[in-house]
Amino acid sequence: SQTIHQWPATLVQPVGSPLSLECTVEGTSNPNLYWYRQAAGRGLQLLFYSVGIGQISSEVPQNLSASRPQDRQFILSSKKLLLSDSGFYLCAWSSPGQWLLAGLYEQYFGPGTRLTVT
Amino acid sequence: AQSVAQPEDQVNVAEGNPLTVKCTYSVSGNPYLFWYVQYPNRGLQFLLKYITGDNLVKGSYGFEAEFNKSQTSFHLKKPSALVSDSALYFCAVRIMNSGYSTLTFGKGTMLLVSP
């Protein structure tokens, strides 16, 4: 069966510090991978998604970036955190599919990382 | 514009009563619709989806959803609510962008089931 891991579970970082959140998936090959942010107001915002190694689409221009160094690893980074970066960060995976197919499949979410920027 | 809406921030229902959580959508082309549930401080869990076929879709934990094309709705239902159903529910729809598609989520509806 497939599992998805995220770490760390919680993180408190000062403004201006760097960030690295990691997501890994087990039990599937070449998944589509997604990063979302959920703010306190509960809405889910898609940040990045990837259909393969090195293939990443950015949905929202901001001080965050994503990388996919391995097939089942997805990393969310920032060089300098802002207060507005606080939130609940969720990684998700879905069955493989190129860009036009990515929205057809259900997504499976990790447990999330609670980030507080102080 | 392509979008999904959940008109209710919160739904209250007594245990044992039927529940409905509403969702409406606006997309170009055929809709692909999903429901997810989120428990506190957890990731979202997939409940069910509509791609094509029967308008009544059955999913996990006794939930079902009714697709209504004329009303552009995809309401989540359960015949008998449990206290443990209390959670945040999200409707999502596939939207088409230039050269790719993604899921867009509604703002969520908090379901509170009282004993």
Side-chain angles (χ1 to χ4, degrees), chain B residues 9 14 16-18 22 31 36 40 45 47 52 54 57 70 80 86 88 94 96 102-103 108 111:
Chain B
D9 284 342
N17 285 356
K22 296 180 180 179
Y36 289 82
Q45 296 179 31
L47 283 178
T52 187
D54 290 340
V57 180
S70 63
S80 179
S86 298
L88 187 58
R94 177 201 189 205
M96 295 297 297
T102 59
L103 286 185
L111 173 66

Side-chain angles (χ1 to χ4, degrees), chain A residues 36 38 41-44 46 49 57 59 88 90 99-112 114, chain B residues 9 32 34 36 38 41-44 46 49 51 88 90 94 96-97 99-103 105 107-110:
Chain A
Y36 291 89
Q38 187 175 26
R42 83 171 59 155
L44 218 63
L46 177 63
Y49 79 108
S57 172
E59 290 297 297
F88 192 46
L90 292 162
W99 299 109
L100 282 175
L101 300 177
L104 289 179
Y105 310 117
E106 58 269 29
Q107 296 176 15
Y108 298 94
F109 286 78
R114 177 77 58 189
Chain B
D9 284 342
Y32 296 85
F34 303 79
Y36 289 82
Q38 184 181 31
N41 297 310
R42 303 290 296 276
L44 279 67
F46 168 72
K49 68 178 178 182
I51 302 296
L88 187 58
F90 289 95
R94 177 201 189 205
M96 295 297 297
N97 300 295
Y100 64 98
S101 71
T102 59
L103 286 185
F105 288 79
K107 292 184 177 181
T109 298
M110 182 65 72

Side-chain angles (χ1 to χ4, degrees), chain B:
Chain B
Q2 301 176 91
S3 63
V4 60
Q6 294 180 243
E8 303 155 315
D9 284 342
Q10 184 168 309
V11 170
N12 298 298
V13 64
E15 188 174 33
N17 285 356
L19 69 87
T20 298
V21 182
K22 296 180 180 179
C23 172
T24 59
Y25 65 90
S26 173
V27 297
S28 53
N30 293 323
Y32 296 85
L33 298 154
F34 303 79
W35 274 103
Y36 289 82
V37 60
Q38 184 181 31
Y39 296 98
N41 297 310
R42 303 290 296 276
L44 279 67
Q45 296 179 31
F46 168 72
L47 283 178
L48 51 80
K49 68 178 178 182
Y50 173 83
I51 302 296
T52 187
D54 290 340
N55 290 340
L56 187 63
V57 180
K58 294 189 181 297
S60 306
Y61 313 121
F63 284 94
E64 57 191 25
E66 186 172 9
F67 171 67
N68 188 316
K69 187 174 183 178
S70 63
Q71 297 185 8
T72 61
S73 67
F74 189 55
H75 299 332
L76 182 69
K77 301 182 178 184
K78 188 173 182 180
S80 179
L82 300 172
V83 173
S84 57
D85 292 330
S86 298
L88 187 58
Y89 290 82
F90 289 95
C91 182
V93 65
R94 177 201 189 205
I95 61 171
M96 295 297 297
N97 300 295
S98 177
Y100 64 98
S101 71
T102 59
L103 286 185
T104 192
F105 288 79
K107 292 184 177 181
T109 298
M110 182 65 72
L111 173 66
L112 295 177
V113 182
S114 55

Side-chain angles (χ1 to χ4, degrees), chain A residues 62-79:
Chain A
Q62 52 197 338
N63 67 319
L64 298 173
S65 62
S67 62
R68 184 169 177 172
Q70 301 181 40
D71 180 45
R72 290 170 290 176
Q73 184 184 31
F74 206 24
I75 296 173
L76 183 68
S77 303
S78 174
K79 293 183 179 178

Side-chain angles (χ1 to χ4, degrees), chain A residues 10-72:
Chain A
T10 60
L11 192 59
V12 180
Q13 293 283 93
V15 169
S17 63
L19 173 74
S20 181
L21 303 181
E22 189 166 345
C23 170
T24 59
V25 180
E26 297 176 354
T28 186
S29 296
N30 196 30
N32 286 357
L33 296 171
Y34 309 85
W35 277 113
Y36 291 89
R37 177 169 59 203
Q38 187 175 26
R42 83 171 59 155
L44 218 63
Q45 179 186 35
L46 177 63
L47 300 175
F48 301 94
Y49 79 108
S50 172
V51 299
I53 295 175
Q55 301 179 70
I56 298 172
S57 172
S58 173
E59 290 297 297
V60 183
Q62 52 197 338
N63 67 319
L64 298 173
S65 62
S67 62
R68 184 169 177 172
Q70 301 181 40
D71 180 45
R72 290 170 290 176

